[in-house]
Amino acid sequence: VIMTFDFGTGSSYESFLNYFLGVFAVICAIISTLLNPLIFYVYTKKQKNIMNVLFKVIAISDFLTNLLPATFISYVFLSSVKFNQHAFLNQLPEVICCTFGCVSQVTVTLMAITRMIKIIRPFFSVEVKWVLAYLIFYTIYMALANAASLVIVGVEEKGEDNVGESSNLDTLKSVNMYACFSMNMFHCFVGLVCSFITVGYLWINMMGNEAEALRLKLRSSNTILLMNVPYVISIVAHFLALNEDIGMDLSLVKHYMIPIMTSAFNPCVIVARTNTMKSFMVGIRGSSELSSFRSRTQLSQKRKKYRLRLCVDTTA
């Protein structure tokens, strides 16, 4: 069997790696497709504040990260057709995956920052418009940067033998890659630092009559800290991919598998450590009861109209 992607290990484990990552991508796609819409639905019903808005954003970005890229890369790993990673059309799912994966990362970082400010400086108001402004700016930047990389791939695919132009394109691609990687590392570092500061502050102050309230805040802060973990793995994977001595091609792992894994990990953490599922069930039950009440009301109104008609006919 000709396996799709050659990891460059030169061992008999190549087939296992392809099958394992393909099945893993399918599982992540199923989890993301089921849980992220549920999270978005629940948080649209909640009070509108900065944290609930960010939960909706991360649900959307994680859903989009997994929707097409996970389907594509699972086919890549599980099929038996050779895969050219650097072909223009094959780069499209990667652009989507990287763009929305980075949006998820910066959203978690903003959650960590706003949570820290709310806990440590409760009377300082963080305005939603500034948080969303940075989020929109970063989304546009990542979209343009990844689109630029895609254009470069398209130009290179033409096969024009212009040495000077090829050198300039390689330089531009390298600058773009390191700029994006630097911003990813910055957001990962800031998110971790803010989360650790918040958790440490709550642990120190967790005593007296407010202990129970602080435990709830600590739980939500630990949730955000957990959501930062996959981005640390992403940074490690990037450094390993740059190391040629490792003897393994990790390009698809860092560009596809890490964002896909994260987009399934985040909703699992949110559902497991928040009242998302409970709120969903309450909402479904409430909608059912409201529908039943409306049906009874409409039936009662029809009966009243029918009785009124009978009275009019009898009088006549």
Side-chain angles (χ1 to χ4, degrees):
V1 178
I2 302 175
M3 294 313 298
T4 300
F5 188 73
D6 183 7
F7 288 93
T9 62
S11 68
S12 58
Y13 294 108
E14 289 284 337
S15 298
F16 170 77
L17 285 172
N18 276 269
Y19 282 125
F20 173 77
L21 292 176
V23 172
F24 184 72
V26 171
I27 294 170
C28 289
I30 293 171
I31 293 172
S32 175
T33 304
L34 291 175
L35 294 186
N36 281 311
L38 183 146
I39 293 168
F40 180 80
Y41 170 79
V42 168
Y43 280 92
T44 54
K45 302 297 181 181
K46 289 181 179 286
Q47 179 184 1
K48 188 177 181 181
N49 58 44
I50 190 167
M51 195 59 66
N52 290 343
V53 169
L54 291 175
F55 270 114
K56 288 189 288 185
V57 172
I58 200 168
I60 294 172
S61 58
D62 280 342
F63 180 78
L64 294 175
T65 299
N66 224 322
L67 187 62
L68 173 62
T71 305
F72 174 78
I73 204 64
S74 60
Y75 171 77
V76 167
F77 285 131
L78 296 175
S79 67
S80 58
V81 180
K82 279 292 183 180
F83 173 64
N84 179 11
Q85 181 187 356
H86 303 290
F88 179 80
L89 291 177
N90 290 342
Q91 289 275 307
L92 284 172
E94 184 177 319
V95 168
I96 297 171
C97 194
C98 290
T99 301
F100 289 106
C102 290
V103 172
S104 294
Q105 182 190 37
V106 74
T107 305
V108 173
T109 301
L110 291 172
M111 291 169 74
I113 295 171
T114 53
R115 188 65 179 163
M116 181 188 70
I117 294 172
K118 186 176 180 180
I119 296 295
I120 298 177
R121 293 286 182 267
F123 297 107
F124 182 82
S125 177
V126 180
E127 295 191 27
V128 178
K129 64 179 181 180
W130 296 115
V131 175
L132 291 181
Y134 183 77
L135 188 60
I136 292 169
F137 161 76
Y138 185 69
T139 303
I140 293 172
Y141 166 76
M142 288 307 303
L144 292 176
N146 286 314
S149 297
L150 190 63
V151 170
I152 292 172
V153 170
V155 173
E156 290 177 339
E157 203 175 62
K158 287 182 178 180
E160 296 178 358
D161 297 326
N162 189 328
V163 178
E165 183 180 348
S166 177
S167 177
N168 291 334
L169 288 176
D170 288 340
T171 303
L172 182 60
K173 189 194 298 183
S174 298
V175 170
N176 187 31
M177 181 184 71
Y178 283 111
C180 293
F181 182 48
S182 298
M183 293 193 75
N184 289 341
M185 281 201 304
F186 171 74
H187 287 134
C188 182
F189 176 76
V190 171
L192 281 172
V193 169
C194 291
S195 293
F196 277 121
I197 290 174
T198 306
V199 170
Y201 178 85
L202 289 171
W203 269 109
I204 293 171
N205 291 275
M206 200 167 62
M207 59 184 65
N209 296 328
E210 297 182 358
E212 187 60 34
L214 289 177
R215 283 193 186 93
L216 294 174
K217 293 179 180 179
L218 181 62
R219 181 178 177 84
S220 62
S221 299
N222 280 330
T223 300
I224 297 173
L225 179 60
L226 277 173
M227 291 167 67
N228 275 284
V229 171
Y231 304 113
V232 178
I233 298 173
S234 174
I235 299 299
V236 173
H238 274 76
F239 276 115
L240 289 176
L242 293 173
N243 185 3
E244 296 180 357
D245 297 329
I246 195 172
M248 185 176 181
D249 188 350
L250 294 175
S251 54
L252 289 191
V253 173
K254 71 173 184 176
H255 289 145
Y256 279 100
M257 297 311 301
I258 299 295
I260 287 171
M261 177 198 72
T262 305
S263 65
F265 178 80
N266 284 338
C268 287
V269 171
I270 294 170
V271 170
R273 295 186 58 85
T274 66
N275 62 350
T276 300
M277 191 59 70
K278 182 180 178 181
S279 298
F280 176 71
M281 296 307 296
V282 169
I284 294 296
R285 194 180 301 117
S287 299
S288 177
E289 290 175 356
L290 179 61
S291 177
S292 177
F293 173 76
R294 286 176 176 172
S295 298
R296 290 197 302 269
T297 303
Q298 291 174 353
L299 182 61
S300 177
Q301 289 175 348
K302 288 180 180 178
R303 286 175 177 173
K304 287 180 180 179
K305 289 180 180 178
Y306 179 71
R307 289 170 183 169
L308 183 61
R309 287 176 183 173
L310 286 177
C311 291
V312 170
D313 292 342
T314 305
T315 305

